[in-house]
Amino acid sequence: MKRFEVRHERSANKVGVDGVLIGSWAGEGGAFSNIMDVGCGCGLIALMMAQRFPEASVTGIDIDNDAFLEAECNVSLSPWTERVKVSLLDFDSLMEKLRMGEEGRYDLIVSNPPFFNSGIDSPTTARELARHAAGLSPRRLLEEGRNMLTPTGRLAFIAPYTDMEELIGVGEGSGLALGRCCIVRGRPDMVPKRVMMEWRPQSSPGTGAPVMEELDIETAPGKYDDKYISLCRDFYIIF
């Protein structure tokens, strides 16, 4: 990255396109003071939030000890050590802290959540644990989102495009309104692979029809789309 270094040797899930996309896209045009990266892994998105929103305090949580330690290291090497903290914490424990009043609510929550359901109940490797959707998934984020957000807060995540309609139903049934939605394709001739969604409480002022967007990673093999370059320009060294 241009302004910080990300090491990911110990983290189960490596830095990839999904994380950079949601870290670049979430919260556009907003001003935030308290940001949460749920399932922070090596700390990529938390550090992206610190770069994009210089007035914000950013917290990242992860259930995996190796990821937590690596995120701590990456934060310590960054320019934002005073504004970014990471914790070894699972999602259920975070929700309990919120219910007990031990944590304040967030005005922006960002996540690249696990969405690969491996069909196992007890993951045995770090990668299975990081990818396992039982404890943290787009659906769970939506079900709990209203309890985590300030009245005008936003919840943003990236998910498989095939889950889009189901997730819209879950979000609306959980008291959230879809504010922005971006459908992501590898190239214009490919079927969509991912969807980025940003939600607000239904009671939030100014909620209405969502802003619908589309994004192609490439225009042709090896040639990046101008919109993709513009979105990620502040981060990728190659741009």
Side-chain angles (χ1 to χ4, degrees):
M1 300 294 155
K2 289 180 176 176
R3 294 185 58 191
F4 60 91
E5 178 180 344
V6 186
R7 302 177 181 181
H8 62 177
E9 289 84 2
R10 300 180 64 178
S11 300
N13 285 331
K14 309 305 181 186
V15 172
V17 173
D18 287 1
V20 177
L21 278 175
I22 193 62
S24 301
W25 182 85
E28 180 182 359
F32 309 104
S33 59
N34 195 17
I35 300 175
M36 166 63 71
D37 174 10
V38 181
C40 67
C42 64
L44 169 69
I45 295 173
L47 291 169
M48 294 178 75
M49 294 296 103
Q51 177 176 324
R52 290 182 56 206
F53 303 106
E55 302 301 318
S57 296
V58 183
T59 303
I61 65 167
D62 204 282
I63 194 174
D64 180 62
N65 188 62
D66 282 338
F68 160 70
L69 292 174
E70 194 156 54
E72 271 199 327
C73 177
N74 287 331
V75 169
S76 73
L77 297 172
S78 80
W80 309 293
T81 55
E82 295 183 357
R83 294 194 293 112
V84 181
K85 68 175 183 179
V86 293
S87 298
L88 183 62
L89 192 70
D90 63 81
F91 188 65
D92 288 335
S93 297
L94 172 65
M95 295 309 304
E96 183 62 23
K97 285 178 174 288
L98 285 165
R99 282 190 286 269
M100 298 295 291
E102 297 174 8
E103 287 279 335
R105 295 195 178 196
Y106 302 94
D107 45 23
L108 178 62
I109 298 168
V110 187
S111 185
N112 176 18
F115 47 74
F116 173 75
N117 191 338
S118 63
I120 56 177
D121 294 326
S122 300
T124 55
T125 69
R127 182 165 181 81
E128 287 173 341
L129 178 63
R131 298 286 290 182
H132 195 231
L136 173 63
S137 66
R139 184 184 184 98
R140 276 217 70 198
L141 287 170
L142 290 170
E143 291 171 341
E144 299 285 5
R146 192 174 61 172
N147 300 319
M148 302 170 68
L149 293 171
T150 62
T152 57
R154 306 188 199 181
L155 165 65
F157 58 79
I158 188 166
Y161 174 74
T162 52
D163 294 349
M164 177 177 168
E165 293 303 320
E166 177 188 354
L167 292 174
I168 288 175
V170 173
E172 292 175 347
S174 301
L176 298 174
L178 183 61
R180 297 168 62 217
C181 184
C182 181
I183 295 170
V184 182
R185 290 183 295 259
R187 293 196 299 270
D189 59 342
M190 293 180 172
V191 297
K193 184 177 182 181
R194 298 283 186 263
V195 61
M196 295 188 287
M197 312 178 87
E198 187 171 273
W199 297 81
R200 301 184 185 192
Q202 290 176 356
S203 56
S204 179
T207 55
V211 176
M212 301 301 296
E213 307 168 15
E214 294 187 359
L215 177 68
D216 298 321
I217 305 298
E218 297 179 321
T219 56
K223 181 174 175 55
Y224 291 114
D225 184 87
D226 287 343
K227 187 175 178 181
Y228 175 64
I229 293 174
S230 178
L231 179 66
C232 303
R233 187 188 304 276
D234 289 341
F235 299 101
Y236 278 134
I237 293 173
I238 59 172
F239 297 156

